[in-house]
């Protein structure tokens, strides 16, 4: 009959003593890598050109055959769009730090999360961008040099899409493919329906609306759009967005007329997910709605799409159509509520490693 094997840990440690002359392994560390979409390094033509080239040549973002897309990209888009996009970035640029708000907030999120784990020398917190700098590869190399043999990557996209979460993870593994000693990796899954995330959004919305001198008749939950064919081919993004809105509506005690889902930031001629944010705002104004607010639950940090497009362009559309009161509700950013979401996700996914 087989009997359980009894292990004497003291003897096991003695047997495992390193041979003479063998150096002990460095202390094993865990890297926590916050990843966001990306940002240009400046607003002038060439920084914008480099950023847009990297972004728009990603096959996860533009699912067209290169033979068709590249002549358009290099012949038309990269000739005209850097100047236009640069002008828009200038409107929201953090001039004190000479960087985009997205970089400012993502760095701050990383610093605040690092402060949470400051008492644990096993944890190394850093941040990177899918497009632009600091690149994911450079941060992974830095983590490996600090002794990280495990990396928890945190794509800061609540709702999953191949155009965001998947391409960020792709880039991480491209970096690992070039490493002789690649660390083990985990990725935080989409958190579109996590109670801590829904609660944080609800508190943020409630607090912001309480500070207004008007009561919005309609609140739009505006998400970044994706081409409709991507959704038709199985990208779960649309369903994730709708579920976030449903849970948020339930949490706030609002009905379907008070909080509605829309999609913004479409690019090109093909159909994107609908209803479109700009068209919806225009329609509401024409129907006599005088007061609205817009929240962006798909963005972990305020950026060009929220600060310039929503708080600028869409607000102008509403006012031009006859609307009176408009307010953009800030993203969670590095607020206490926003950091509570990130910390909760990280602590859960580190279980078994710490």
């Amino acid at each position: 009959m087989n009997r359980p094997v009894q292990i004497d840990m003291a003897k096991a440690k003695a047997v495992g003593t390193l041979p003479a002359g063998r150096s002990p392994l460095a202390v094993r560390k865990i890297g926590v890598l916050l990843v966001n979409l990306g940002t240009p390094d400046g607003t002038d033509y060439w920084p914008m050109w480099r950023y847009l080239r990297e972004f728009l040549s990603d096959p996860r973002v533009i699912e067209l055959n290169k033979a068709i897309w590249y002549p358009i990209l290099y012949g038309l888009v990269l000739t005209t769009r850097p100047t236009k996009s640069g002008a828009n970035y200038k409107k929201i640029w953090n001039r004190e730090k000479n960087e985009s708000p997205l970089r400012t907030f993502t760095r701050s999120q990383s610093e605040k999360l690092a402060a949470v784990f400051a008492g644990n020398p096993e944890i190394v917190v850093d941040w990177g961008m899918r497009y632009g700098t600091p690149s994911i590869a450079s941060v992974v190399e830095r983590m490996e040099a600090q002794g990280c043999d495990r990396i928890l990557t945190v794509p800061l996209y609540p709702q999953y899409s191949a155009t965001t979460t998947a391409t960020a993870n792709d880039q991480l593994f491209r970096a690992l493919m070039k490493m002789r000693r690649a660390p083990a990796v985990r990725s935080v899954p989409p958190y579109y329906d996590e109670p801590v995330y829904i609660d944080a959004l609800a508190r943020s919305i409630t607090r912001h609306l309480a500070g207004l001198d008007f009561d919005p008749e309609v609140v739009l939950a505006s998400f970044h759009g994706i081409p409709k064919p991507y959704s038709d081919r199985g990208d779960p993004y649309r369903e994730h967005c709708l579920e976030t809105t449903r849970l948020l509506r339930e949490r706030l005690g609002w009905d379907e007329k008070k909080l509605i889902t829309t999609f913004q930031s479409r690019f090109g001629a093909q159909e994107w997910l609908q209803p479109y944010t700009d068209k919806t705002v225009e329609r509401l104004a024409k129907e006599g709605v005088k007061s609205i607010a817009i929240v962006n639950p798909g963005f972990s940090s305020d950026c060009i799409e929220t600060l310039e497009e929503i708080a600028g362009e869409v607000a102008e559309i509403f006012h031009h159509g006859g609307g009176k009161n408009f307010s953009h509700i800030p993203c969670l950013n590095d607020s206490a509520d926003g950091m509570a979401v990130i910390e909760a996700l990280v602590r859960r996914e580190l279980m078994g490693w710490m």
Side-chain angles (χ1 to χ4, degrees), residues 125-142:
V125 180
D126 213 330
W127 61 284
M129 297 293 186
R130 167 58 184 92
Y131 312 104
T133 58
S135 69
I136 292 173
S138 68
V139 180
V140 170
E141 290 174 2
R142 186 159 63 238

Side-chain angles (χ1 to χ4, degrees), residues 123-194:
I123 303 296
V124 175
V125 180
D126 213 330
W127 61 284
M129 297 293 186
R130 167 58 184 92
Y131 312 104
T133 58
S135 69
I136 292 173
S138 68
V139 180
V140 170
E141 290 174 2
R142 186 159 63 238
M143 285 183 164
E144 195 274 339
Q146 292 175 274
C148 296
D149 66 351
R150 291 152 292 169
I151 292 178
L152 173 65
T153 180
V154 188
L156 293 171
Y157 316 110
Q159 299 78 23
Y160 174 93
S161 174
T163 63
T164 52
T165 307
T167 191
N169 288 337
D170 287 348
Q171 198 71 349
L172 171 61
F173 278 94
R174 288 190 189 100
L176 298 181
M177 288 169 65
K178 298 178 182 179
M179 299 175 69
R180 171 67 62 181
R181 189 173 182 175
V185 172
R186 288 180 181 173
S187 178
V188 170
Y191 53 97
Y192 63 96
D193 59 351
E194 292 284 349

Side-chain angles (χ1 to χ4, degrees), residues 34-54:
L34 304 187
V35 179
N36 219 319
L37 182 73
T39 173
D41 292 324
T43 61
D44 293 337
Y45 183 87
W46 287 112
M48 290 302 312
W49 188 93
R50 288 189 293 270
Y51 171 71
L52 290 171
R53 178 187 60 175
E54 183 180 13

Side-chain angles (χ1 to χ4, degrees), residues 45 48-59 61-62 64-82 267:
Y45 183 87
M48 290 302 312
W49 188 93
R50 288 189 293 270
Y51 171 71
L52 290 171
R53 178 187 60 175
E54 183 180 13
F55 176 43
L56 296 175
S57 61
D58 184 347
V61 174
I62 306 294
L64 288 176
N65 186 293
K66 290 182 179 180
I68 298 174
W69 172 236
Y70 273 24
I72 300 172
L73 175 62
Y74 286 92
L76 175 63
V77 176
L78 290 178
T79 302
T80 60
R81 196 169 179 86
F267 171 78

Side-chain angles (χ1 to χ4, degrees), residues 152 186-189 344-353:
L152 173 65
R186 288 180 181 173
S187 178
V188 170
L345 296 172
V346 168
R347 287 192 181 279
R348 184 187 66 195
E349 297 303 320
L350 284 177
M351 291 179 65
W353 273 0

